[in-house]
Amino acid sequence: MSLLHTSRALLSKTSSVARKAAANHNFNITRSFTNAPSPPDGNFKDGKPTLQYAKGLPKTFASMSNEQILQLAELKVPEACRECIVRDIMVVDQIEYDDAMKIFEKIAKTNRRGMQIYALPFYTGFGAAFTAGILSVPLVFDLNTVNWFNDVMVTAEMPPPEDLQTALEVGSASWGWMEPILGQISFFLLCMQFARSQLENLGAISRSADRFRASPFNQDFRGIRSKHIGAIRFE
């Protein structure tokens, strides 16, 4: 992901210029597509592309123009962001595409180093959330599990056996102590999610993530490249 964040530095100036130009000309993309006539160059016939024109459709990101790559990279398409970096390597080091791709592969390999360690908290969170979600079902609706949890953690008085014959009756009995637990967990997660969204709106999470990703990446990156990527600035 840090390669994606890194390539954004290549796009910020270009995208801002494009947005200003669009604003100055009151550009309406819907109107431009619906009202634009077919170009009189033989590429279209009766409003449809010709076979010869269709043969020129780019099949890979490497065959796309610089403008197409910049537009897709601005939309955060990872392959387009990668292509931006590869082409910048070509310009800075004055080498051809295949040689630049070899350098990029070294950069990508360095960038993925230690990723399993960084991903461990997310795997742990996934495992804990998945396990808690599965266990919550028998803790509410299974009579044996409810009796065990009640004896160990609650010690509340249970209804008579004739009122515990169905899963819904068991859930009604266990809900007295399960509701505060599940409700508090749900409210806590909701508050954390809201707090994170506000930090994202302020840009705090993206800035801290960029610094975290760029710092170790930059040290190894300088050892791989013969020169620095000109348009990229690491913090």
Side-chain angles (χ1 to χ4, degrees):
M1 289 299 295
S2 59
L3 289 177
L4 190 152
H5 283 275
T6 300
S7 62
R8 289 182 186 174
L10 292 170
L11 310 174
S12 58
K13 185 175 181 179
T14 303
S15 61
S16 61
V17 173
R19 283 192 292 266
K20 291 179 180 179
N24 293 335
H25 292 83
N26 294 322
F27 182 70
N28 189 314
I29 188 170
T30 303
R31 184 176 59 196
S32 65
F33 276 109
T34 55
N35 297 337
S38 300
D41 54 3
N43 293 332
F44 290 84
K45 182 178 181 181
D46 298 330
K48 302 175 184 178
T50 62
L51 174 61
Q52 189 64 30
Y53 183 69
K55 290 180 179 179
L57 177 69
K59 300 298 192 300
T60 63
F61 285 90
S63 61
M64 293 182 180
S65 66
N66 292 334
E67 292 76 11
Q68 292 172 323
I69 291 297
L70 285 173
Q71 291 173 358
L72 294 174
E74 181 66 18
L75 296 175
K76 302 178 183 179
V77 178
E79 293 82 358
C81 295
R82 177 199 65 187
E83 190 67 23
C84 283
I85 296 179
V86 172
R87 297 188 185 190
D88 193 77
I89 294 175
M90 295 174 62
V91 174
V92 174
D93 285 358
Q94 294 295 301
I95 55 179
E96 295 298 328
Y97 187 89
D98 292 338
D99 296 329
M101 181 59 70
K102 293 178 181 178
I103 295 178
F104 176 83
E105 290 174 353
K106 294 180 180 179
I107 295 174
K109 184 178 179 180
T110 302
N111 189 39
R112 300 292 298 180
R113 185 182 304 164
M115 189 61 65
Q116 294 180 346
I117 297 177
Y118 298 139
L120 184 60
F122 301 100
Y123 285 116
T124 303
F126 165 77
F130 183 81
T131 303
I134 295 298
L135 292 179
S136 66
V137 177
L139 284 172
V140 175
F141 297 107
D142 181 67
L143 180 58
N144 294 328
T145 308
V146 169
N147 285 331
W148 170 81
F149 189 81
N150 181 42
D151 294 338
V152 175
M153 302 295 296
V154 185
T155 67
E157 183 178 355
M158 293 289 291
E162 58 268 19
D163 292 336
L164 298 173
Q165 296 180 359
T166 66
L168 293 179
E169 290 178 337
V170 174
S172 178
S174 64
W175 196 244
W177 62 77
M178 291 302 297
E179 181 181 15
I181 299 175
L182 299 180
Q184 175 58 33
I185 293 175
S186 300
F187 183 73
F188 175 79
L189 294 177
L190 178 64
C191 291
M192 293 299 101
Q193 184 179 11
F194 180 77
R196 176 183 173 84
S197 66
Q198 301 312 305
L199 290 177
E200 289 178 345
N201 292 336
L202 294 173
I205 292 181
S206 60
R207 289 195 299 267
S208 61
D210 289 341
R211 286 193 294 268
F212 171 75
R213 291 166 179 150
S215 180
F217 174 70
N218 190 24
Q219 297 175 2
D220 294 330
F221 172 78
R222 297 185 183 212
I224 293 175
R225 289 293 312 283
S226 58
K227 299 178 182 178
H228 308 315
I229 292 182
I232 297 179
R233 294 292 181 267
F234 293 100
E235 296 182 3

